[in-house]
Amino acid sequence: MGKTVMVVDDSTTMRQMLTDTLVAAGYEVLLAVNGEDALRKAGGRAVQLIITDFNMPVMNGPALITRLRATSEYKFTPILVLTTESSVERKGEGKAAGATGWMIKPFDPVRLVQVVNRLMP
């Protein structure tokens, strides 16, 4: 079975760039456009890592992380926040919600793959 990364971002361009990077590194990618979409798609799927944006319509990153952490299925799954937000306050919100790590956009594909490889169970 391949290792699957869920990418949650409201930007079509960002989802495509992340997909291209992760597929080239040998990962399967499951896409979601916001937190609500991610929750719907995560149910019943084996996802080993989640990369989520912070600011999204419908349900933002911290709300998604909080909801995922409340489930037995995703309680310990690594969740990486990939965002333009760099303030201490925003990072604190992500950490309080249960984020495993934080990266700033635009991302360096090589660095992203290194982080994903390190976080993968």
Side-chain angles (χ1 to χ4, degrees), residues 32-90:
V33 298
N34 58 50
E36 190 175 273
D37 187 35
L39 285 175
R40 203 170 33 250
K41 291 179 176 175
R45 285 292 305 265
V47 175
Q48 287 75 43
L49 184 134
I50 297 164
I51 299 174
T52 183
D53 191 9
F54 190 96
N55 297 305
M56 296 176 288
V58 186
M59 183 187 293
N60 68 14
L64 169 62
I65 295 166
T66 300
R67 296 276 300 274
L68 288 169
R69 290 295 185 222
T71 69
S72 59
E73 194 177 12
Y74 290 101
K75 187 174 180 89
F76 301 109
T77 302
I79 302 175
L80 181 64
V81 177
L82 180 64
T83 181
T84 57
E85 296 284 352
S86 59
S87 72
V88 172
E89 295 78 22
R90 291 289 184 253

Side-chain angles (χ1 to χ4, degrees), residues 5-24:
V5 178
M6 177 181 279
V7 170
V8 188
D9 201 300
D10 56 319
S11 162
T12 304
T13 304
M14 186 56 62
R15 287 193 309 271
Q16 188 59 56
M17 287 169 45
L18 285 163
T19 298
D20 292 348
T21 300
L22 293 166
V23 167

